[in-house]
Each structure stands twice: as C-alpha cells, then as structure tokens.
Amino acid sequence: MRPAAVDEARLVELAGVRALEAAWDYWMLGRVQARVRWRDRLAGRVDGYRDRYRVRARPSAEGVESACSCGRRQPCRHAAALLLAWSREPESFADLEALAAPWEEAPAEELADLFWRFLQAPDEPLEAFVEAGRSRAWERQPPEGRLRHLEGFLGERPEEAPARFDELAASLAPRAGEGEEVRLRRLELEGELLGRFLDLPGELRARLGLERWGRLAERWLGELEAGATPAPSSAFPLLARALAEPDLPPGLYARLLRAAVRLDPRGVVEELLRAASARAEAERRLGRAGAEEERERSALALADLLALRGRGEEAARVLEEAAGLPAVGERRIEGCLARGDLRGAVDAARGSLAAADGAAVRYWRARLADLLEASGEAGEALALRVSNFAEGADLASYRRLREAALRLGRWPEVAGAARAALLRQEGRAALLAALLEEGEAAALAEELPAALADPAVPFDLALRAVLWLGRRDPRRARALGEALLLTERGDAHQRARLRRALSRMRLPAAGEPS
C-alpha cells in the first residue's frame, strides 16, 4: 500500500496559501531531507531557517494525518513540504519495508550493533540504516548473487571496492575435501569473477588495480594447470580475452598462453597463431609510427605461440626481425641475462639499435649504454649518452649525463657541448638551474648576464643565482644584482629581498682576492 498523492489545490485547502508557499521554498532549496515511507505513511526532516523539524504524515483520500516537532497546527508548512516532495519526487523516498528485509532474521547482536550505529549518527539515522542494510545484504549474498551485482556493489561505495572484491575472491578459494562437482562450479565462478573484472568501468578497475586481478588469475591458473578435474567450458574464452589486455605482466602473460595452448579446443590456438602471424606481417610492412605498440604485441604473441608449439627457430626469427622494437628487443636481452651472458645481451642491444628507427633509436642508445657500463666499456657508453643528449636534452637527462661523465672523470670534456645542447633545446632557465645545482661559480658568472636579460628566466631563479654567487664572488654578484634591479622585474617583496642581500654583501678590500 502506497501513500496517496496530495495535489497542490488540496494542500491549499488543508494548510493554506502561505504554508504552501513556504513548502515550495523548502522543497526547491533541497531542505526536505531523510525522506522515507513505511507502507502508507511518510516521514522526513525539514531543515528550517532556525531549526530542524521531524515530520510524519499519512495522506489518504479522506485527508491527511500529520505531526511535526515544530508544535504548530497541523498540517503545518513542514508537513506541506513533505507532502509536496512526495507528490513531486516519490522515487526519492526510501522504502523502509525493503530496507528492513536484510534484518528479518538478524540475531540480537547484529540488531544491537545497528542500534549503536544509530546512536553514533543521530543527525543522519536513515543514512546509517541504509548503509548497514546494504552491508548486510552483501554479506548474506551467495557468491552467485554477488557476481550478478558486482558492479553495483563495488561502485556503490568505491572506497570499499578493494575489500569487497578481496572478500568475494576469498569466498571462492579452494576448500579441503571439496568434490569434483563443487570444484568445477567454483572454478566457473572464479572465471566469471575474472571476466567481470575486465568489464568494470575504467575508474573502478583502476581503484582495484590489475595486480589484484593478476593474483586471482594466478590462483585460478594454478588449479587449471594441476588438472585434477576438467577445466570449465568458459576457461578458453576467458583466456583468449585476457591475452588481449595490454598491461599484463610478462610472467602472467606467458602462463595464460600456456594454459590456452593446453586447452586448445578444436585447434583454436592454431587459428590464433595464423591470425597473429598475418597481423605481425601486416604491421611489419606498414611500419608506421602509430603502429609500434601493435607491432610489439603481435610479434611477442606470435613468438610465444610458436615457442609453445615447439617451433623455436621460427620464434627466434620473429624476434630478430622485430628486434628494433623496445619490448621485442628486451625479450632477447632478458634471455641473455637470465643465462648470465652479458656479452650476448650487449650484442643483442647492438642489433636492436641497428634495426631501430624513430624514437626507438634513443631508447636503444640508452639501453646499450647501460649494458656497456655493466660490462666495463664506460667510454663507449658515455659517447652513446652524449649522442642521445644532443638529440633530446632536458634537465633530467643532463643530470644523468653529468653523473656518468663524472664517474669517468671526463665531465670537463663534455660539459661545454652538454650545456650548449641544454640551452638550445630547453632554454636559458633550464641551463641556469643546472649550473646552480652543479655549483660551478665560473660557468654561472659567465652565464648570468645573459640570463638576467632574458625575460623567460623567472625572477626568483635569477635572484637565487645572484645570492648564490654572492657567497663566492660578491663584487661580481653585486654588479649583477644591481643590473637585475634595473630590469624592473619581480614583485615588491622579491626586489626588497634583493636590495637587502646586496646591502649585506661584503666587498673585498683593495688587494684582497675576491
């Protein structure tokens, strides 16, 4: 039984025009809160301009029974606001009968806990009741029910999504002494949970993290690989779908592939193999810049499938042809390093550098430099880093180049070219910041006049440089600081700070070294 709707003309008869006008204000301003209904009765809270009022109403064809904590004649303006909200937005009223359903068979301890939640949230008891009911409904659901409503339960309170997902995954964990039928059903539900994870919206997936999916997938794969019972029919479609995920860790990707090959219903893997081969060849021929990631995935998938089919020579040839692609070349290097063959890894990196084009060239120069340093060939490694830096200078790569050159004692040889490249590609502000980090007084004093004249250099950075130089060469720093003041850059606070600093700089006496 639902409460009867009361139209505005009837409200005027019952409460008067002024009460209806006030009710409109309350409703339009969102002041009718905590709206609930119980069968044919309504209740809520109206936030007045001086106080909050608890209102109850029972509208029917004969009239309206109402009560309000304001103590005025009924129906008052607050009761009229509640009735207006019911006539305009009935869906906004929570159905207490439905909310109470999870508590029908609750033990006394849970009811006492619910009552305690009410005491802790006296201003919003309805929200506390609704939240408690949702939690209990989730807890009482069997795994099948939780899976059906997974997105709703996880998305309802995103901050609790990881804990709820973990709880559901734990409920599907293997149990000692379970029969074959139970195990098969559990594996089906685990697979369904893995598949539903992949269907979740991006924001919710990001909150859960692919690592969480990976842990569950590892457990599921472990049971499939054990082979104590047949795999569920849904296993292969899930594996094929999961292999298309671009961010899978290499180890998990390889296990998924092995499981797909082992199941191989009706030669589907051979079809995948042919498709991957055709796709890799097409991407190789296209060679366009935007296709690099697709080419990498295609080549790796093809090589893995060939290797798992026992066609190792073909797999090696696929990797060799695509060696210039970072992920493919890294696969060859990882294989060499796993065998302890550092020389082989260096040779593989050289081959990848020779085969690379575009942005991959810089990647392979840096990778080869790392391997050369590890093998003791630091001179060649430094030359590669200098070449890379000349093509793409920034402050971070400048720091790395300087550290590498300092280790070899060769920074003075490359400093000039490195600073020129940084100035050319990143501007004078980046160069000034680099010189400040280095603490090179002579280079900083040489660069500072041009930096002070460059409006692209922030005043605060120029001020720091002048103050730093003042501790080493106060005469020159004072002259540069006065020149900086003449530019009329910086705010009043910054300029006052510079004036104070200049007045405190002690200039060396005649004949005293500066």
Side-chain angles (χ1 to χ4, degrees), residues 129-443:
F129 184 76
V130 168
E131 180 52 39
R134 283 173 178 162
S135 296
R136 192 163 198 275
W138 168 257
E139 290 161 7
R140 294 178 67 197
Q141 284 273 10
E144 293 89 337
R146 295 185 185 190
L147 280 169
R148 278 197 301 273
H149 305 291
L150 184 68
E151 183 178 338
F153 275 119
L154 297 182
E156 203 168 52
R157 290 185 65 81
E159 67 277 7
E160 292 183 8
R164 285 188 165 183
F165 186 90
D166 290 343
E167 182 188 340
L168 179 51
S171 72
L172 297 172
R175 299 285 189 269
E178 64 184 5
E180 182 175 323
E181 186 176 339
V182 172
R183 179 179 178 278
L184 188 59
R185 176 59 180 153
R186 185 175 50 71
L187 282 174
E188 285 178 353
L189 293 175
E190 265 189 316
E192 187 177 346
L193 178 57
L194 288 166
R196 285 183 180 271
F197 179 101
L198 300 177
D199 289 333
L200 291 174
E203 185 177 341
L204 197 51
R205 274 187 58 167
R207 183 179 287 272
L208 291 170
L210 191 62
E211 300 82 8
R212 181 170 270 101
W213 184 91
R215 288 194 296 272
L216 180 59
E218 293 276 7
R219 188 179 82 190
W220 182 71
L221 284 169
E223 291 198 73
L224 288 184
E225 290 165 358
T229 56
S233 58
S234 58
F236 188 83
L238 172 63
L239 290 166
R241 183 175 171 207
L243 285 168
E245 287 293 310
D247 300 323
L248 288 178
L252 179 56
Y253 174 81
R255 287 191 72 186
L256 289 167
L257 267 175
R258 282 198 298 272
V261 171
R262 188 174 66 80
L263 294 174
D264 193 10
R266 298 179 303 279
V268 174
V269 170
E270 287 297 336
E271 294 176 20
L272 288 176
L273 186 60
R274 285 191 291 274
S277 178
R279 181 175 177 178
E281 178 61 20
E283 296 292 357
R284 187 182 67 76
R285 286 178 179 170
L286 284 171
R288 60 180 186 273
E292 182 172 293
E293 189 176 340
E294 287 297 323
R295 290 164 62 205
E296 283 182 338
R297 281 209 295 268
S298 297
L300 288 172
L302 176 57
D304 283 338
L305 285 165
L306 286 167
L308 288 166
R309 280 300 192 201
R311 292 150 69 173
E313 290 184 5
E314 293 177 62
R317 191 160 55 250
V318 167
L319 292 177
E320 187 177 346
E321 288 176 357
L325 301 172
V328 178
E330 287 292 353
R331 175 73 65 85
R332 302 172 73 208
I333 291 171
E334 286 169 12
C336 293
L337 294 177
R339 297 190 301 272
D341 182 7
L342 182 56
R343 174 48 51 192
V346 169
D347 291 341
R350 287 190 196 280
S352 293
L353 176 58
D357 54 18
V361 172
R362 296 190 68 234
Y363 174 90
W364 283 116
R365 280 199 199 117
R367 188 69 173 103
L368 178 55
D370 291 339
L371 292 167
L372 285 168
E373 281 188 0
S375 65
E377 300 174 62
E380 186 181 352
L382 182 61
L384 287 167
R385 294 192 192 282
V386 170
S387 298
N388 247 8
F389 185 78
E391 293 179 11
D394 58 36
L395 197 52
S397 58
Y398 179 89
R399 293 188 190 109
R400 289 194 297 271
L401 176 61
R402 182 170 179 270
E403 288 169 7
L406 284 172
R407 283 197 299 270
L408 293 172
R410 294 178 58 184
W411 177 239
E413 296 175 35
V414 298
R419 289 167 184 163
L422 185 63
L423 174 62
R424 185 173 62 254
Q425 298 192 41
E426 289 291 294
R428 208 167 292 277
L431 177 56
L432 191 60
L435 293 173
L436 269 172
E437 284 183 16
E438 291 178 52
E440 294 277 358

